[in-house]
Amino acid sequence: AFFGRNSGSRNTTASNNSFFGAFTGAANTTGTDNAFFGYTAGGSVTTGGSNTYIGTRAGQSSTTATTNTFVGKDSGFSTTSGGSNTFVGIRSGNDNISGSNMVFVGRDAGANNTTGFDNTFVGAFAGVDNLTGTRNTLLGIAADVAAGNLNHATAIGADSVATESNSVTLGRSADIVYIPGFLRLLQL
């Protein structure tokens, strides 16, 4: 079902698609099982399938990407070929091009990630400095990495920053970290 000006206008053999809004799925030719809602959502998809894009310009640059869920204005805007991503919040994953297997939740979460993959960023502005880093976990508003290419870095807490790869950061330097119960250290 196509509703809106030029919605699904290039469809040839595609099936099981639902496009609602002007220019949604406008370039789609053979992509199947897509649901696009909002002005130009999924507007560049040609063969990508099993995507759900909700919001103005959500997934707009997507061409061959598959199995993505983008919710929010400009969410996943630049993603062309990345797959298995979930971006929720305005501009979440906005600059992602080909990164896959990521979860970005919150306004601008992972907004500048381009090719990084396997990342989880939860909180408004979480991970905005990550560009190509992989397998990072950032939890809390503005939780971030100190460099755009870190790997296996974890920062937990509002404004916490992971400063190097293969590290775990709890809170900020001004915070006191409490660990109730037992703490077992395997190496010193």
Side-chain angles (χ1 to χ4, degrees):
F2 306 145
F3 297 94
R5 192 170 102 208
N6 290 327
S7 177
S9 58
R10 294 191 185 152
N11 186 69
T12 55
T13 59
S15 61
N16 302 323
N17 292 307
S18 298
F19 302 154
F20 295 88
F23 304 101
T24 57
N28 190 60
T29 55
T30 60
T32 61
D33 302 313
N34 292 302
F36 303 150
F37 300 86
Y39 177 73
T40 71
S44 298
V45 170
T46 55
T47 60
S50 300
N51 295 299
T52 301
Y53 301 156
I54 301 172
T56 298
R57 295 189 302 267
Q60 180 175 320
S61 301
S62 180
T63 54
T64 60
T66 60
T67 63
N68 290 302
T69 300
F70 301 154
V71 179
K73 181 180 178 186
D74 296 325
S75 178
F77 177 88
S78 299
T79 301
T80 56
S81 60
S84 300
N85 295 306
T86 300
F87 301 159
V88 179
I90 188 170
R91 290 187 30 81
S92 58
N94 184 75
D95 291 344
N96 183 59
I97 296 169
S98 60
S100 296
N101 304 313
M102 296 186 292
V103 176
F104 297 161
V105 178
R107 178 191 178 117
D108 289 292
N112 299 315
N113 185 86
T114 56
T115 58
F117 57 90
D118 297 339
N119 293 305
T120 301
F121 304 158
V122 178
F125 308 103
V128 295
D129 288 328
N130 187 73
L131 303 174
T132 60
T134 62
R135 298 190 173 173
N136 296 309
T137 303
L138 306 172
L139 307 175
I141 190 166
D144 211 348
V145 289
N149 62 347
L150 298 185
N151 299 300
H152 295 92
T154 300
I156 300 172
D159 300 311
S160 60
V161 177
T163 57
E164 59 187 278
S165 293
N166 304 304
S167 68
V168 176
T169 301
L170 299 175
R172 306 165 300 141
S173 60
D175 296 336
I176 298 170
V177 178
Y178 291 95
I179 302 174
F182 297 99
L183 174 62
R184 182 177 180 191
L185 300 176
L186 299 177
Q187 292 183 348
L188 290 177

